[in-house]
Each structure stands twice: as structure tokens, then as C-alpha cells.
Amino acid sequence: MNNKIITPLEASDKVKKSIAKRRAKDKRLKFYGRAAISLAVCFLLILFYSIFLKGYSGFFQYYVTLDINFDRERIDPKGDLSDNSLFDGEASAIVNESLFSIIQPQGRKAKKQAKKIVSSGKDVRITKMVKNDPSLFGTITKVKFALDDDIDSFLRGYIKRETPESERRISNKVIEYIDKLNEEGRISYEFSDYILTGSASGNPEMAGIKGAFIGSMLTLSVCLLIAFPLGVATAIYLEEIAKKNKITEFIEVNINNLAAVPSVVFGIMGLAIFISIFGMPRSIPLVGGMVLALMTLPTIIISSRAAIRAVPPSVRDAAYGIGASKLQVIFHHVIPLAMPGMLTGTIIGMAQALGETAPLLMIGMVAFIVDVPNSVVDPGTVLPVQIFMWADFAERMFIQKTSAAIIVLLGFLISMNALAVYLRKKLERRW
Amino acid sequence: MNNINNLKSLELTVGDPFSKTARLKARNVNVFYGNNRAIDNVTIDIGSKEVISFIGPSGCGKSTFLRCFNRMNDTIDSCVVQGEISIDDENIYDKKIDVVPLRARIGMVFQKPNPFPKSIYDNVAYGPRIHGLSESKQHLDYIVEESLKRAGLWNEVNDRLQSAGTGLSGGQQQRLCIARAIAVSPEVILMDEPCSALDPIATAKIEDLIHELGNDYSIVIVTHSMQQAARVSKRTAYFHLGKLIEVGRTKDIFTRPQHNKTEAYISGKIG
Amino acid sequence: MFNFYLLSSILLISLIFFFLGNNRAKKLIILNQKNLHSLTHYYGVYSLLASLLPTLGLFFIFTICDDLLFAELIKKYIPKEVVTSKDYNFAIVLAQINNSVEGLIFGTPPQWVTNAAEIWVSWVHKSQIITVISCISTALISGFFGYKKINSDFRSRNAVEKIVMSILAVSSVIAILTTIAIIFSVVFESVRFFALIPYDEFLFGTVWNPQFEGAERAGSGQEGLSQYGAIPLFAGTLLISIIALCVSVPVGLFSAIYLSEYATSKERAFFKPLLEVLAGIPTVVYGFFAALTVAPFLRSSGSIFGLDVASESALAAGLVMGIMIIPFISSLSDDVINAVPQSLRDASYGLGSTKNETVIKIVLPAALPGIVASIILAVSRAVGETMIVVMAAGLAANLTANPLEAVTTVTSQIVTILVGDQEFESAKTLSAFALALTLIIITLAMNFYALHVVKKYREQYE
């Protein structure tokens, strides 16, 4: 324990002794870093994998082919193809007859169970077909019908034969009938014509995302139409026109705060102000779009300001030099150069808005909407809310369709983000 | 490309680049940044316990060459070093050599003072701590005190060792950096224009310090000031566009330069 | 439809004024044999704006005030018995009348409703006539005045630009209006809530059991029926956030260290965007993943170890939320680590440190304020997150520190209460606003603090 100055030689020795441990620690840190990134990537892959696995089969479902006798008098009693007439018709009964002729159920109970095999949308299918093509009347044509979701789950193997009948959702008799239909080659597994063209339904086999998708498109359009002009205008004003004083600072603080507020709160505001005070109807894309616009506004403002700031002062100086006025400099010179950055910021903001659920729940876009909205003031829902609602339902087929809907949603988000990245690369200027 | 590298420079170095007490030996060193050659076939010895200056016009590669000695150029991706630099007859660019002990033997002081955002004590103690040089807290205290004394800073800061290193004046910060380098008991200290960011008074103090340190360490100092070279170093090397033009005693370089380029620089015609 | 036609007519009139103004300017140029101050289209635009802006303003005022005015005036037509009845709720009565007005008739409404509806409809007709007349005349008159202003001295471009700048200024006020709207809507209803429930019970009570109730709370002999102690909610939020941090901080921080200090530029270019993808996935997808993949997995693996994991455990929600938050921490930390000046690293390497010594002893301490700020921001995001907890965590308030149990959070309660039937007078609905107020205060406070930390840290290096 003598206090002495260490000679370079001694120091070198000590350093050399310490090297091994220190290098080991260095390797460890590198390893932890790699492990962390791998873990994060793993999470991502597991997420995508599990959704894809569940969702891929959501695009397909089981169908049964039956020979349908398009008897005009029974399907369209009034003979004018009107909704009333078709409603009074017996399309369902005809389908059941065709089915019974194959499986021949005996007794009331068996018949009742057999009636449930084909999806309850069978009459709608028939009536749609005859409306589109009245020449079907008088023919016997093969028609594919979706099978009820329990049958579908059975055919996929989620409901097993081995389970005792009392614990199963479908009875032994029904399994018998399915086997019979299978033997005749009438059961097929095809791309679902419901998932993309159907709307919300309580029956999983008929459920589709068309209504939600159109609702999303309408809501996003409203959001874009409101948020983009307002956001760009605010960015222009704050960056180019307003003097730096207390008021502009206050506005900036406000914008940063709004960016930090949880999305739920915007929904509450929409509920209290747009719906309660202004008395606007709930559940319409117009109100949803307004709420989302206010949410996306900070994102667009901040990215637009950054884009405007990136335009070098030399451009402005040159324009002023030839006598342009302030607004002419802004609109003829600065904005076109800043537009790529503004666009990418807006696309990213829209992508975020597309995936938002909570604020739209608050303003009531959650009711059981069956119709496809035709305008921004018709009640509708959006894709993420549809996913949320379906996730609650216990039927197996809903799980698959929900995953399929998620795949569609993610597909759109990836394309939008890819578009933003592409635009940014393509239109990037190096000053 | 390779052929050009191995060609000896058509201009040979004037004067005596070698030293009898050589600690560091550089032989045919070429340094490339990408495709640009920054150092062209330089051969020179750094002697033991001497102060040698590297002088030359801006951009002639002095700093780049300096950084070769402690392999700081490793941190730059595009930099490639060819040739041999050896300490104790071991080529430091050999793959087997671990750079950590090398840098403990060859310390560095940078152009802009860069103390860590830690206390003065912790700044100086950082090196000894990571290398495990001290045996006890008291020993560490002693090392810190000695290093600060040798750097000429002890009297000014001994009452506030726990205060932030960044709170010192520019000249004090640079002396702190020197103390920090001394604390790991190096043999060689490389200094890259250590006074260029300092005012004249601080500069004078540090120049005195360097002169003193030359008794205990080999010091290589890059400077763009000929007066500084004249004040602190016994030997001087003149660089021009990456080539080593002339090496010799400082007095001789400044009064009777042998090469016309050296003469041109000294008399202010170039640089 | 009426609005559409009116607006189109207004637009048409303004367009006509544009052409009139433009032509007048052109004539003046020919007349005076020299150019005017501004290009001719500026005169056209000026006339257009002169006609359009006041009219639009008038139109919006009429449209908005109409409904409010009618709602006030219709009160006279509600019979006294209805007003003084026990269940009287003006909003519902108004809705009844509106339904009748729009022809949505379910069964037979009371006679007074039909009467009131008829009167409302007549008012609407009157107001439409007034609106049309005033709007069209305003458009014509103000447009004419704008047109008249055009003479050889008139600097139209300046006038137009002034108008445009005012429009831009107004749009930037929208941001403030939104904040005011949020504060107003939440605070107003919260105040009404706290009139019913004392705020120390809300903040410190440990039982959360809101019910819809017909009777007032206290003094009706039904104490203990409905309780609004929010502590279990705060605890649930805290528990899930802590679990999320346990996942995201190590993964995020070490990823940031690797990406900024060890990774090659190829690795960085590949992995950094990949981590950002985690932030882009909609939260409803995370919620679905948590509820249908993670929760059952935890439950079954729990039973292997003999642990009873609830099907809506805090652990499932917390883990998935942690995954979602990783990019918040990794991205921000990466930025602050990169911002540490290279000169410090040079000094450290020059003394002979290994990379990890430089990172741990020099870089991280220098970057620490920024890293702490990023963690605070991540927490604030976790606290405000809704969908993951609604779908994967429970709905029953449960005061526990056990991550294997089901808990509920502030946000999921807000959603549960406000989705579905609401009576704006009951304490249950209003409690959602009180919760929202707490949420806003906490998240804003955290954001302020994080920004403050970053500001102080930036001063160090600039």
C-alpha cells in the first residue's frame, strides 16, 4: 500500500492483465444489444405470423353446391321482381327441399337440424341471383351456398367428431348429413365471397368488411379534407407570417400539447361538443372525420413546419429580390418546394388515423350497422372498430374473419407507409 | 493501385528522421481516406523523452499522421493505414495487437479541450479506474494529485476536486485533459494543436508545461504555429502535402532550412 | 339538399363577380393605356372574396343558431305536466320532437309532440326563406361593393393578400380552439361529477363500483350501492405500465445502444425501420393479439407451472403494451445517444477504453436526461393507451399487485362507461369525464416534465 507513481512499464503490465475481463464485458454488451434487437424482431414476427395464420383461412370458407329449381311462381309470386314479392316468396323452402332430397332427414327434429346446415342467407342469395338474371327462372341450376359457421368449424377440424355429442355444437345426425354431402362431392372450400363484399352480420359465415371499409374511406376523406388545408395553413402562418411573440409561442405550446393528448380524449371531446352541443348525429363518418382531423392536425402541422423550414433562405431571398410579395414568395416558391415533406407527413398522419379506434368508439361508431354507408352522413363504422367488435364474438369463424380483416387493414397501412417512404426518397432534394 | 503505393517517394526526406533513443518507429507509412492519399510514404523515429513538433501548412496531413501512432484512425471507417509503426519493435498495426494497452502507453490531447461531464477528480481518475492501476482509494487519490501537479493544475483546483470539469476555463480544461492523459502513466503523449482554441496567456502556460513534461515523456506536438514549435520542441518535422520534407533540430530548421519547400514555409511564402 | 342548393348559388354568384372584376380591370388597363398595380386576376379574386366571405359567415351563423334558437323557443310548447314530471329530460324530449320532424315515427307519439313538431317544421320553413333572401342579397350587395372598389388606384393584390393572411391566421387559432374545446368538455362535466361525488372519495377511495341509479346517492338509504373510488383504476394502470416498462426499457435501451454504437450502417439501415414498424401497428391489432394469442398462451403455460393465470391478466396486456412501446424508447434513446459529441468518445478511446466502457461510463451518463425523458414519454403513452387494455385486460376493478390477476385501467373504464347508453345526468356517465380529466392532467404533466428535461439537457451541449 505504498503511494507511488506507477512507471509506464508497471502500468502496461496492469493494463495487459485487465484486458481479458474487459474484452469479455465488451462482447457481453454487444451480445445484449443483439439479443434485444432479435427479441424485438421476434415479437414482430410472432405477431405477424399468428395473425396471418389465423387470417389466411378467413379469406376462404366452405360451400355446399345444391341443384335449385328456379320456380318463378314460388320465388316471385307477384311476378314483378319487387322486394315485396320476393320477400313473400319461398326461396328458403326451395333450398331446403333441394337439400332434403339429398340427405333425406327423418322426423321433425332431424329436419330442424338439417335446415340449419345452409347459412341463413340462402334466400338472399337466390333473390339476388334472380334480380340480376331473370333468365334463371324455369331452370334447374347449381348454386353454391355458404355453410353455417358451426359446420364450417367442424369441417376445418375445430369441432371434433371425437367429442361427446352433448359437448359438441353440432349433433351426430348433422355430421351424418355432412358426410353424405361430402361423399357426393358437393362440399367445396373456396375463396369467400362474403369477406370482402359482405357487411357486418351476426352470422359469421356471412360477415364481411365491405361496410366497414367504405366507412373507413369516407371517414378518412373527411379527415383529409379538413386536416390537410388547416394543417398546411397553420404551418404556413406560424413559419412564414407570424412574428415570434407570446401568442405564437402559446399556439406552439398548444399544438405540442395536443400531440400528447391520448386519443380517447379527442373522442370524449367529439362526444361532448359535436354530438351533445352541436347536436350532430352519432356514428356518421362526418363526425368521425372531424374528430380524427383534430387528432391528426398536430402531426401535419409539425411535419409541414419542418418541411417549410428545410427550404433554404436563398430561395426566398431570390424571390424577394425580383419583387415578389410575401404571399407570392410563399405560394409560388416555398410551398412547391416544401410540398413533398408536407405530403409524406400527411400520408403518415392519415395512416395513423386509419388505425384509430378509441375516439370513434366514443362518438358511437359502434352500433350494429348492417348497411353500407352511401355518404358521409349515413351511419357507418370503420375497419378498426369492426375488428374490435368482432373480436368479442366467440365463434371460431369470427376469429378467422377478424384476422382476415386485420390483414386487410395492415395491408393498407403498409402500402400507405411505403408510399410515404417512396415519395420521400423520390422527391428528396439535397440542398 | 498497389504499385503506386510501394514506390518510394521520389523526394527523399532531408535531414535525419532517425533517433538513437527511438521509442516509436514509423516506416513507409501511407494513409488513405478512401481513394485520396493523405500521407505519402513517411519514415520517422520518435525519440525517448524528447519533444518533437510536426509543422506544415493546413491540410498537409500532420494530424492524420499523429493519429496513426495511437490508432485513433481506427474510429474512421474510410481510413486505411499502410506501412509499419512499431513500439518496442512490435508493429502496432499487427492484427494480434490489442489497441487498449497501446492507447494506455500512448496518450492523446485534442485540439478542443474535451473534459468529461464529470467532476475534476473523476476526469483524472477515469483512466486509472478502467485499467485497474490503483490498489486502493488512497492510491488513486495520490495518482490524481500527482497527475494534477504535473499538469500544473493542482494549486488551482485542489479545493474543488468534486466540482464539474466543464466548469473550468479553457486553459484549465486543457490542463485537466493533460492531467487525465498523464494519470495512466504513458510513455508518449500526442498533442494535436493543443493551444489553438486557447487565449495567449493560457497558451503560454501550456507551452511551459509541455517544455517541462518533455523531461519525463516523449511528446509529439502538431502545431500550425512556427513560434510555438520553436518555443517548445527540440526536434521539428516539416510536412508538405502528406510528405515528410525535412526533419532536424528545431534551431536548424528555422535558421538554416535545407529544403527549399521548408524555406518557403518558414519565410511565409507558403502556408 | 336545401343547404346544398343555397351554397351552390352563393358560389355561383361569387364566380360571376370574379369574372366581372376581372373584366373591369382589363377595361381599365385599356382605358388608361397603362398597367394597374396588380395583375387582373387579383381584382377578380377580390370581388369574389368580397361577395363570398360575408355571405358564408352569415350562412354559418344562421345554420348554427337555427337549431339552438328553435330548441329554446320550443320549450314553450312542452306541456307543463311533462316539464314538472319526475323523469323530465329536455334532451330526450328534444330528440322525440326531432324524430317526429324527420318523420321517424314509432308507434303513436303524444299529441303535444306532434304539435311541437309541426310548429318546428314551420319555423324551419320560415328560417329557410329568411336565409335564402339574406344570403343572396348579401352576396349581391357586398359583391357589388367589392366590384365598385376597382379603380385605377386600387391595389387589389395587397387587399387580397391581407385577406388570405387573415384566413391563415384564423386557421392557426383552430389549434387553440381544440384545446379549449377539450378542456371545456372535460372540465365542465367533471365539475358536475364532483358536485355529486366528493373528490377525496374519487381520488382516495378503494372501491370502484359505478351503477346507473335512479335515486340520488347519499341520503336515500342506499349508501354503499355505488362507489367511485378510483384507486383500483390508478393501481391497474400503474401495474400494467410497470409490466410494459419491464419489457420495453431493456429491449429498447439495449437496441438503441447497439444500433448507435455497435451496428454497421447496413445493420442500422435495416433494423431501425423494422423497430419503427412496431409503432405503426394499430393498437386494436395489438389488443387482438393480446386477447387471442398471448392471454391463452400465458394461461396454459401458467397451468403447467401450477399458477392460476386469469384469462384477462394484467400480464398479457402489459407484455403486449411493452412490445408496442419499444420503438418509443429505442428511437428517442438512439437520437440522444447519437447527439453526444464525438469528442467525448475520442477522449475516452484515446485513454484506452473499450467500447463498452466508453458507452456505459461516458456516453450513457451524458445521454441520461434524454433517455429518462424518452422513458417518461413512453410511460405517458402507456397510461393513455386504450384498445389493448380494453380488449385484453379485465373490466372489473381489482386492487392488486399480482400481474396474474385481471385488473382494469382508467382508459378501459372510460370506454366501458361511455360506449352504450348514456344519461348525462347520472354520476356513472359523469365519472368517465372525471377519469378523462385525471388522464389528461397526468399525461400532460409527464410530457411537460419530459420536455423540460430535454431542454435542460440541450443547454448543456449548446
Side-chain angles (χ1 to χ4, degrees):
Chain A
M1 227 218 33
N2 34 5
N3 285 342
K4 59 181 180 72
I5 272 288
I6 307 176
T7 65
L9 209 58
E10 289 170 342
S12 260
D13 257 350
K14 291 199 182 184
V15 173
K16 288 210 173 91
K17 279 203 200 120
S18 70
I19 284 288
K21 268 206 189 135
R22 293 160 69 189
R23 285 292 176 202
K25 276 198 194 151
D26 192 34
K27 278 212 177 82
R28 269 206 296 261
L29 184 61
K30 194 170 183 180
F31 172 72
Y32 290 150
R34 284 209 161 126
I37 295 189
S38 315
L39 200 58
V41 173
C42 251
F43 288 145
L44 189 61
L45 290 176
I46 295 178
L47 177 73
F48 275 113
Y49 179 69
S50 81
I51 298 231
F52 186 75
L53 206 61
K54 290 198 183 82
Y56 178 73
S57 50
F59 287 104
F60 296 86
Q61 47 188 110
Y62 280 97
Y63 288 85
V64 62
T65 312
L66 295 174
D67 306 301
I68 302 297
N69 179 9
F70 282 89
D71 184 343
R72 182 151 206 162
E73 280 162 17
R74 293 179 69 192
I75 296 179
D76 182 22
K78 295 214 183 102
D80 56 358
L81 282 181
S82 67
D83 287 339
N84 267 332
S85 169
L86 293 169
F87 186 70
D88 289 337
E90 297 179 346
S92 267
I94 294 182
V95 175
N96 285 334
E97 281 165 17
S98 170
L99 179 67
F100 290 178
S101 67
I102 304 174
I103 58 180
Q104 289 164 359
Q106 306 296 334
R108 232 196 67 192
K109 184 166 173 214
K111 284 202 178 137
K112 198 164 155 207
Q113 289 181 350
K115 278 190 191 161
K116 293 216 181 102
I117 290 181
V118 179
S119 156
S120 45
K122 48 188 173 263
D123 51 345
V124 174
R125 177 156 285 211
I126 298 286
T127 52
K128 269 209 182 119
M129 286 177 80
V130 297
K131 264 189 165 171
N132 277 336
D133 183 12
S135 69
L136 282 169
F137 283 129
T139 64
I140 298 188
T141 320
K142 285 194 190 299
V143 180
K144 283 207 175 87
F145 294 95
L147 287 166
D148 182 75
D149 69 294
D150 286 331
I151 316 287
D152 194 286
S153 297
F154 167 73
L155 287 167
R156 290 183 202 255
Y158 297 123
I159 298 179
K160 301 195 198 309
R161 281 175 207 268
E162 300 83 45
T163 335
E165 188 177 9
S166 49
E167 295 172 20
R168 236 193 285 123
R169 281 176 74 98
I170 56 179
S171 65
N172 288 338
K173 256 269 175 275
V174 171
I175 295 185
E176 233 182 80
Y177 296 148
I178 299 297
D179 289 337
K180 184 108 201 287
L181 288 167
N182 231 338
E183 274 167 40
E184 299 207 5
R186 288 182 177 272
I187 298 206
S188 55
Y189 183 63
E190 319 216 351
F191 187 80
S192 162
D193 60 346
Y194 281 109
I195 179 75
L196 295 178
T197 55
S199 292
S201 164
N203 292 308
E205 69 276 358
M206 297 200 293
I209 58 169
K210 180 167 167 207
F213 180 74
I214 296 194
S216 266
M217 291 296 115
L218 288 172
T219 311
L220 272 191
S221 314
V222 172
C223 175
L224 182 65
L225 285 174
I226 298 179
F228 184 69
L230 273 185
V232 169
T234 308
I236 294 175
Y237 180 74
L238 288 176
E239 276 301 309
E240 299 281 331
I241 301 179
K243 301 192 191 49
K244 301 266 176 259
N245 54 22
K246 286 274 177 192
I247 301 184
T248 46
E249 251 189 69
F250 181 61
I251 298 180
E252 281 182 32
V253 167
N254 256 300
I255 294 174
N256 287 328
N257 279 346
L258 282 179
V261 169
S263 57
V264 152
V265 175
F266 281 97
I268 293 185
M269 177 207 68
L271 180 65
I273 305 252
F274 296 140
I275 296 184
S276 287
I277 295 188
F278 286 173
M280 301 180 89
R282 309 173 124 238
S283 188
I284 60 174
L286 182 63
V287 178
M290 288 164 73
V291 171
L292 288 181
L294 292 179
M295 257 183 61
T296 323
L297 213 49
T299 311
I300 297 185
I301 294 176
I302 292 175
S303 61
S304 298
R305 286 186 74 177
I308 293 177
R309 243 180 267 150
V311 175
S314 54
V315 169
R316 296 183 185 80
D317 289 343
Y320 281 124
I322 56 171
S325 72
K326 193 171 200 129
L327 280 186
Q328 282 173 334
V329 170
I330 294 175
F331 284 103
H332 296 169
H333 296 97
V334 176
I335 299 298
L337 291 176
M339 197 42 87
M342 291 185 185
L343 280 180
T344 44
T346 309
I347 294 178
I348 292 180
M350 288 297 117
Q352 283 176 348
L354 177 61
E356 280 294 339
T357 323
L360 300 177
L361 283 181
M362 296 284 99
I363 59 154
M365 281 180 116
V366 79
F368 190 80
I369 308 291
V370 177
D371 289 332
V372 175
N374 285 320
S375 75
V376 292
V377 288
D378 287 335
T381 187
V382 293
L383 203 46
V385 172
Q386 180 77 287
I387 293 172
F388 169 67
M389 292 196 295
W390 280 357
D392 261 346
F393 297 137
E395 288 96 331
R396 186 81 208 190
M397 206 164 173
F398 264 127
I399 297 181
Q400 286 158 344
K401 293 220 168 168
T402 312
S403 308
I406 291 181
I407 293 180
V408 172
L409 180 64
L410 287 179
F412 271 99
L413 286 175
I414 293 178
S415 350
M416 285 171 90
N417 276 298
L419 179 65
V421 169
Y422 171 73
L423 276 182
R424 191 187 285 161
K425 282 240 162 74
K426 187 122 195 283
L427 302 173
E428 201 173 30
R429 283 164 172 263
R430 299 242 158 242
W431 300 110
Chain B
M1 242 307 256
N2 275 324
N3 295 329
I4 301 180
N5 295 348
N6 288 333
L7 267 181
K8 277 209 157 51
S9 178
L10 292 176
E11 288 185 48
L12 292 176
T13 308
V14 178
D16 184 13
F18 301 107
S19 164
K20 292 200 189 67
T21 60
R23 299 299 300 129
L24 286 169
K25 296 180 186 161
R27 299 285 179 265
N28 301 115
V29 175
N30 286 287
V31 181
F32 294 88
Y33 284 115
N35 282 335
N36 301 325
R37 192 204 304 251
I39 293 293
D40 187 350
N41 210 354
V42 174
T43 296
I44 191 170
D45 279 353
I46 309 292
S48 157
K49 296 201 179 151
E50 70 162 349
V51 183
I52 174 171
S53 301
F54 288 175
I55 62 172
S58 321
C60 65
K62 334 186 272 288
S63 293
T64 307
F65 187 59
L66 187 77
R67 289 163 64 98
C68 289
F69 285 114
N70 64 351
R71 288 183 60 171
M72 277 306 276
N73 286 327
D74 287 3
T75 59
I76 302 175
D77 282 336
S78 60
C79 191
V80 176
V81 176
Q82 293 174 346
E84 207 183 283
I85 297 184
S86 47
I87 183 166
D88 291 341
D89 296 319
E90 259 184 336
N91 183 7
I92 67 176
Y93 280 94
D94 192 284
K95 292 228 179 354
K96 287 183 291 166
I97 298 283
D98 190 321
V99 87
V100 164
L102 174 72
R103 291 184 182 150
R105 286 174 84 179
I106 304 179
M108 189 163 215
V109 175
F110 297 85
Q111 191 166 350
K112 192 161 174 297
N114 51 10
F116 300 131
K118 295 176 186 289
S119 69
I120 295 175
Y121 185 92
D122 285 334
N123 261 281
V124 182
Y126 178 72
R129 275 192 181 127
I130 56 172
H131 293 305
L133 296 181
S134 71
E135 287 141 24
S136 68
K137 178 81 174 40
Q138 278 173 304
H139 193 194
L140 187 60
D141 289 346
Y142 177 73
I143 294 178
V144 170
E145 185 180 327
E146 270 305 305
S147 310
L148 284 169
K149 278 188 179 148
R150 285 200 188 184
L153 195 57
W154 175 252
N155 290 334
E156 294 168 48
V157 300
N158 62 28
D159 54 343
R160 46 179 172 138
L161 289 177
Q162 294 306 320
S163 64
T166 44
L168 301 171
S169 75
Q172 288 173 321
Q173 283 188 14
Q174 194 65 301
R175 277 181 278 152
L176 177 60
C177 293
I178 295 176
R180 186 174 63 183
I182 290 176
V184 295
S185 305
E187 295 177 51
V188 182
I189 304 181
L190 308 172
M191 299 197 180
D192 190 354
E193 298 196 39
C195 300
S196 62
L198 305 176
D199 63 82
I201 298 180
T203 302
K205 278 204 182 131
I206 293 196
E207 285 177 358
D208 290 337
L209 180 59
I210 295 175
H211 199 86
E212 245 187 76
L213 291 173
N215 297 325
D216 295 312
Y217 307 95
S218 301
I219 301 189
V220 185
I221 172 167
V222 166
T223 176
H224 63 261
S225 158
M226 293 180 284
Q227 292 79 9
Q228 186 168 87
R231 283 194 288 266
V232 302
S233 59
K234 285 232 184 62
R235 270 172 88 213
T236 297
Y238 172 68
F239 286 82
H240 185 87
L241 292 180
K243 296 198 180 63
L244 178 58
I245 304 294
E246 187 170 341
V247 186
R249 292 194 325 172
T250 310
K251 260 203 307 223
D252 297 338
I253 295 270
F254 283 109
T255 51
R256 325 176 239 131
Q258 292 182 27
H259 197 285
N260 56 348
K261 287 211 175 97
T262 320
E263 198 263 322
Y265 180 71
I266 303 289
S267 55
K269 290 197 193 121
I270 53 178
Chain C
M1 269 345 266
F2 164 75
N3 286 339
F4 177 71
Y5 284 127
L6 183 57
L7 278 173
S8 320
S9 328
I10 296 175
L11 227 65
L12 198 61
I13 296 180
S14 341
L15 273 172
I16 294 177
F17 273 107
F18 172 78
F19 285 114
L20 287 176
N22 209 1
N23 283 335
R24 184 177 168 111
K26 285 197 181 134
K27 286 214 187 95
L28 280 175
I29 293 180
I30 297 176
L31 205 61
N32 297 341
Q33 289 295 311
K34 71 168 183 169
N35 273 339
L36 298 170
H37 168 265
S38 327
L39 293 173
T40 56
H41 66 256
Y42 279 108
Y43 296 94
V45 170
Y46 181 76
S47 310
L48 181 149
L49 288 177
S51 162
L52 185 64
L53 292 180
T55 317
L56 275 185
L58 202 62
F59 175 75
F60 279 121
I61 293 179
F62 275 147
T63 325
I64 296 180
C65 288
D66 260 356
D67 278 337
L68 295 175
L69 185 67
F70 294 167
E72 268 310 301
L73 291 177
I74 203 76
K75 281 185 181 160
K76 271 195 290 180
Y77 292 87
I78 305 176
K80 245 211 188 110
E81 321 84 66
V82 179
V83 177
T84 52
S85 77
K86 214 173 56 144
D87 289 322
Y88 176 63
N89 182 335
F90 181 62
I92 295 186
V93 167
L94 194 60
Q96 278 181 298
I97 299 178
N98 273 324
N99 281 343
S100 188
V101 164
E102 292 178 26
L104 296 168
I105 302 178
F106 303 106
T108 345
Q111 187 58 34
W112 62 268
V113 171
T114 326
N115 288 345
E118 280 170 17
I119 295 176
W120 186 289
V121 169
S122 75
W123 284 345
V124 168
H125 279 144
K126 284 202 196 117
S127 129
Q128 282 182 337
I129 297 176
I130 297 178
T131 313
V132 169
I133 296 179
S134 42
C135 282
I136 301 283
S137 42
T138 313
L140 290 170
I141 296 177
S142 58
F144 180 67
F145 273 117
Y147 175 75
K148 260 286 186 215
K149 247 191 156 164
I150 298 176
N151 56 37
S152 14
D153 292 328
F154 182 52
R155 300 178 167 220
S156 173
R157 191 195 65 211
N158 296 357
V160 167
E161 295 197 339
K162 272 214 190 95
I163 296 177
V164 171
M165 284 209 243
S166 332
I167 296 179
L168 292 179
V170 164
S171 65
S172 53
V173 168
I174 301 278
I176 303 189
L177 284 182
T178 312
T179 312
I180 295 180
I182 292 180
I183 298 180
F184 173 70
S185 50
V186 171
V187 168
F188 186 67
E189 305 288 354
S190 302
V191 160
R192 288 170 61 198
F193 174 75
F194 287 121
L196 293 173
I197 312 284
Y199 60 84
D200 56 343
E201 178 193 330
F202 179 73
L203 286 178
F204 302 117
T206 58
V207 179
W208 180 264
N209 184 20
Q211 316 265 9
F212 274 122
E213 45 200 328
E216 290 94 38
R217 191 176 155 268
S220 60
Q222 292 179 351
E223 257 106 66
L225 193 60
S226 226
Q227 287 175 283
Y228 294 96
I231 294 271
L233 305 184
F234 298 146
T237 308
L238 193 64
L239 180 62
I240 292 186
S241 303
I242 291 180
I243 299 175
L245 283 183
C246 288
V247 170
S248 57
V249 170
V251 175
L253 200 52
F254 279 110
S255 301
I257 290 177
Y258 184 81
L259 282 178
S260 52
E261 298 285 333
Y262 286 93
T264 63
S265 48
K266 268 200 214 133
E267 284 176 335
R268 199 181 148 81
F270 181 69
F271 284 110
K272 195 158 166 39
L274 210 54
L275 286 182
E276 302 286 339
V277 170
L278 284 173
I281 298 179
T283 53
V284 68
V285 176
Y286 274 119
F288 180 78
F289 177 62
L292 272 83
T293 307
V294 177
F297 172 73
L298 285 177
R299 197 168 157 75
S300 49
S301 20
S303 57
I304 295 179
F305 292 108
L307 295 167
D308 179 27
V309 182
S311 58
E312 291 184 314
S313 58
L315 191 59
L319 282 180
V320 174
M321 201 188 292
I323 297 176
M324 180 188 82
I325 290 184
I326 289 175
F328 282 83
I329 297 191
S330 78
S331 230
L332 292 171
S333 302
D334 182 69
D335 287 343
V336 292
I337 290 177
N338 271 323
V340 173
Q342 184 64 20
S343 59
L344 289 182
R345 291 190 187 81
D346 281 346
S348 180
Y349 288 130
L351 287 167
S353 321
T354 57
K355 199 169 230 175
N356 82 306
E357 283 160 359
T358 306
V359 167
I360 306 260
K361 293 181 200 267
I362 304 291
V363 174
L364 280 188
L368 199 60
I371 295 179
V372 166
S374 76
I375 296 181
I376 296 176
L377 285 172
V379 171
S380 123
R381 185 83 175 76
V383 163
E385 172 47 42
T386 317
M387 294 320 295
I388 301 182
V389 286
V390 165
M391 293 169 87
L395 294 175
N398 180 13
L399 185 57
T400 174
N402 180 0
L404 303 178
E405 293 182 39
V407 299
T408 192
T409 65
V410 173
T411 47
S412 79
Q413 278 302 303
I414 293 178
V415 169
T416 319
I417 293 176
L418 288 180
V419 168
D421 296 328
Q422 303 146 18
E423 297 169 1
F424 268 84
E425 306 296 319
S426 88
K428 179 172 177 180
T429 312
L430 295 176
S431 66
F433 288 93
L435 288 174
L437 184 62
T438 330
L439 191 67
I440 297 179
I441 294 178
I442 294 181
T443 46
L444 281 185
M446 283 200 271
N447 273 285
F448 261 126
Y449 184 62
L451 280 175
H452 172 73
V453 165
V454 168
K455 235 196 205 164
K456 256 178 65 177
Y457 159 81
R458 252 195 216 132
E459 284 166 7
Q460 228 185 333
Y461 284 113
E462 279 165 26

